[in-house]
Amino acid sequence: MTPLHDVAVPTEKATFCMGCYWAPECTFGVLAGVIRTRVGHAGPEAASLKDECHEAIEMDFDPSVISYRQLLDVFWLHHDPTLDVPTEYASAILYHNAAQRELAERSVAEQRCQRVQGTVRTKVLPAAVFYDAESKNQKYRLQQHPWLMEAHILHQYANEVCIVDTRRKLETLTISLLHCISSKMYQA
């Protein structure tokens, strides 16, 4: 079987806090260029899990396929940054370098200008500590729907034996299905 992504490519990290981390992991995990995702708790330097930590998704992405700005667009599209919730579920962008900080601060400012209702409460913080969630929480939605793995296996099979045109159609259908499922999870 051929891998979905070339994992030997240079990657960058992105970390977002969007409330509960299960649905965002699905949303980002199906994007072309996102190589790996993991969920956990993130916070400021020297934070412990009992301190000011947020539920977060951390991902490795290939910037030649998907840009940090595109990831920010997905971040804004798939959660409500105006909710007044405890820190654990609060909206935040954790940057890993100066360029990410600049883009994150600019995107927060844009959102504050665009929103008519509600105050954008998203914080922009340095990515300092990340505690992996327990294994039962990693790929949680995928664990709840094992038939999705069967779809992935079908996709791999198509890559190996189908002609290019059929393979593209199956890939498009699989990605559409995953996006549909991911969006329905947000509505639930």
Side-chain angles (χ1 to χ4, degrees), residues 90-181:
S91 175
I93 302 167
L94 283 69
Y95 60 87
H96 292 267
N97 57 47
Q100 285 186 0
R101 179 181 184 174
E102 182 181 329
L103 285 168
E105 289 174 344
R106 189 178 318 142
S107 75
V108 169
E110 289 168 1
Q111 288 295 315
R112 288 188 174 139
C113 289
Q114 292 173 6
R115 299 247 176 204
V116 177
Q117 296 180 340
T119 302
V120 173
R121 299 175 185 278
T122 304
K123 293 181 180 177
V124 176
L125 304 167
V129 296
F130 189 91
Y131 300 99
D132 284 341
E134 297 173 325
S135 60
K136 68 181 182 182
N137 290 311
Q138 302 296 333
K139 313 296 184 268
Y140 180 81
R141 299 283 193 205
L142 190 58
Q143 292 178 49
Q144 304 308 305
H145 304 283
W147 59 270
L148 287 173
M149 283 308 297
E150 293 170 16
H152 170 70
I153 291 166
L154 174 63
H155 173 77
Q156 291 291 351
Y157 174 77
N159 275 340
E160 290 177 9
V161 299
C162 292
I163 58 173
V164 173
D165 197 36
T166 303
R167 186 176 19 201
R168 285 188 187 130
K169 288 177 185 174
L170 282 171
E171 182 175 280
T172 301
L173 287 171
T174 302
I175 290 171
S176 296
L177 175 66
L178 292 172
H179 281 292
C180 179
I181 291 165

